[in-house]
Amino acid sequence: EQLDIKAFIRMNYYKNKQDESKSIDPEAGISARFRFNKHLAVEGTFDRLVQYYHTLEGLPVGWSLDMIVPTVEKISPETSLQGGLNLAFCYGHHQASIGGYYKALDNLVYYKHAEDLFNGSLAAWQDHVAQGQGTSYGCELLYTYEHRDLYARVSYTWSKTDRSGFEDVNEGKPFHARFDRRHVLNVLGQWRNFSASLTMQSGHWENGAPEIYEMHVMGGEEWEAQYFHGVNNYQMPMVLRLDLGYQRTFRTGSFEHELNLGICNATNHFNPFMLYYDSKKEKWTALALLPILPTFSYKVIF
């Protein structure tokens, strides 16, 4: 009545028909949950997982683009060892949990020559892929309250994700994963027909942070120049966004009416989405999407 234990083991067989590459890999996992009483429980998990499709990192685009590539003869399957420990609490209308996790990944893929992505060399994309490792760890906090007309949820994550072991990338030194965000806070509140959501996130990482050095020529002239070093060496500014909404549903006779009003990014905060070099202004520029944006919809159902 107090202890639940689950475990699994699985054997995978993978074959790529194009290059006849084959792979046989085991997977296994175990999870356990112990309930101290009806209010408090602790849960732990540990898994070894394998996947044969990879998200190709290192692409030269500033927008979100997930290019999925398969395991081939030159690219090994991706493996992960991950574990977590979580403490859950519930009492009345309150629910809360706090926990931590650690994940170690191997055979991650990174595209070495981004400048060749959109030309004919993409046909041999696997020749330009480096493989390495990654780690991710952090802690998570979640709290929810629900009672009558009020619902509230607060979640916070502190995490760190990096890449390492890529011999042809960043001189083999560790570097930030592009999506690595140290702090993520989300707050949601709903009261009757009104709702509000707030998100605060550390900025993601981009390439292109300049470093200044002095140049000297014969005659004693000096001037400053910029150079770039490393991968994902510049952290974008913090993301802050507040959304507000109002929803009402009512009936008149045999008709049902649904009204929705909202304001997206109510604070009009400049949330940078990507970094690019403006050749006309000769400087790095941050591009932001979704300024303050009101929304309205009205629906009649009959």
Side-chain angles (χ1 to χ4, degrees), residues 127-192:
D127 296 330
H128 305 292
V129 170
Q131 288 198 279
Q133 295 80 44
T135 59
S136 181
Y137 56 87
C139 58
E140 301 170 325
L141 172 66
L142 174 66
Y143 169 78
T144 60
Y145 176 86
E146 185 173 8
H147 182 54
R148 295 181 182 177
D149 298 328
L150 178 62
Y151 174 80
R153 183 176 73 236
V154 179
S155 64
Y156 170 75
T157 300
W158 179 94
S159 63
K160 187 177 186 301
T161 304
D162 58 22
R163 299 289 183 256
S164 62
F166 294 86
E167 296 182 359
D168 301 323
V169 181
N170 198 37
E171 300 177 351
K173 301 176 183 178
F175 58 95
H176 296 279
R178 187 175 185 182
F179 56 84
D180 178 33
R181 290 182 169 91
R182 196 60 46 86
H183 306 279
V184 177
L185 172 67
N186 291 293
V187 181
L188 171 66
Q190 295 178 338
W191 180 73
R192 295 185 179 179

Side-chain angles (χ1 to χ4, degrees), residues 208-222:
E211 296 185 20
I212 307 297
Y213 68 100
E214 292 184 353
M215 294 187 65
H216 303 269
V217 296
M218 295 181 63
E221 295 184 14
E222 298 181 0

Side-chain angles (χ1 to χ4, degrees), residues 72-286:
V72 293
E73 185 178 4
K74 298 180 180 179
I75 299 179
S76 303
E78 181 179 320
T79 62
S80 68
L81 291 173
Q82 57 191 41
L85 186 65
N86 187 68
L87 183 66
F89 171 81
C90 65
Y91 184 81
H93 307 290
H94 306 270
Q95 293 187 16
S97 64
I98 184 172
Y101 72 92
Y102 183 88
K103 178 184 291 188
L105 302 109
D106 195 13
N107 296 326
L108 296 175
V109 296
Y110 194 96
Y111 200 71
K112 296 183 292 185
H113 304 297
E115 66 276 5
D116 299 330
L117 180 63
F118 298 110
N119 61 29
S121 66
L122 186 59
W125 58 269
Q126 60 267 33
D127 296 330
H128 305 292
V129 170
Q131 288 198 279
Q133 295 80 44
T135 59
S136 181
Y137 56 87
C139 58
E140 301 170 325
L141 172 66
L142 174 66
Y143 169 78
T144 60
Y145 176 86
E146 185 173 8
H147 182 54
R148 295 181 182 177
D149 298 328
L150 178 62
Y151 174 80
R153 183 176 73 236
V154 179
S155 64
Y156 170 75
T157 300
W158 179 94
S159 63
K160 187 177 186 301
T161 304
D162 58 22
R163 299 289 183 256
S164 62
F166 294 86
E167 296 182 359
D168 301 323
V169 181
N170 198 37
E171 300 177 351
K173 301 176 183 178
F175 58 95
H176 296 279
R178 187 175 185 182
F179 56 84
D180 178 33
R181 290 182 169 91
R182 196 60 46 86
H183 306 279
V184 177
L185 172 67
N186 291 293
V187 181
L188 171 66
Q190 295 178 338
W191 180 73
R192 295 185 179 179
N193 300 325
F194 298 92
S195 64
S197 63
L198 172 70
T199 182
M200 297 176 62
Q201 302 179 11
S202 301
H204 67 277
W205 292 85
E206 290 271 7
N207 297 329
E211 296 185 20
I212 307 297
Y213 68 100
E214 292 184 353
M215 294 187 65
H216 303 269
V217 296
M218 295 181 63
E221 295 184 14
E222 298 181 0
W223 73 89
E224 290 184 343
Q226 294 180 344
Y227 74 98
F228 305 92
H229 180 72
V231 177
N232 296 340
N233 56 351
Y234 177 74
Q235 188 174 25
M236 301 289 281
M238 180 189 70
V239 171
L240 172 65
R241 176 173 160 180
L242 174 65
D243 297 337
L244 303 174
Y246 174 80
Q247 181 185 47
R248 185 184 177 190
T249 303
F250 58 94
R251 298 188 65 88
T252 57
S254 57
F255 298 93
E256 182 178 343
H257 307 262
E258 185 178 298
L259 174 66
N260 287 278
L261 300 173
I263 302 178
C264 175
N265 195 12
T267 59
N268 199 27
H269 187 266
F270 184 75
N271 292 316
F273 182 68
M274 62 171 285
L275 188 71
Y276 71 97
Y277 186 77
D278 190 328
S279 58
K280 294 182 179 180
K281 298 181 180 180
E282 296 184 346
K283 67 176 184 179
W284 290 90
T285 304

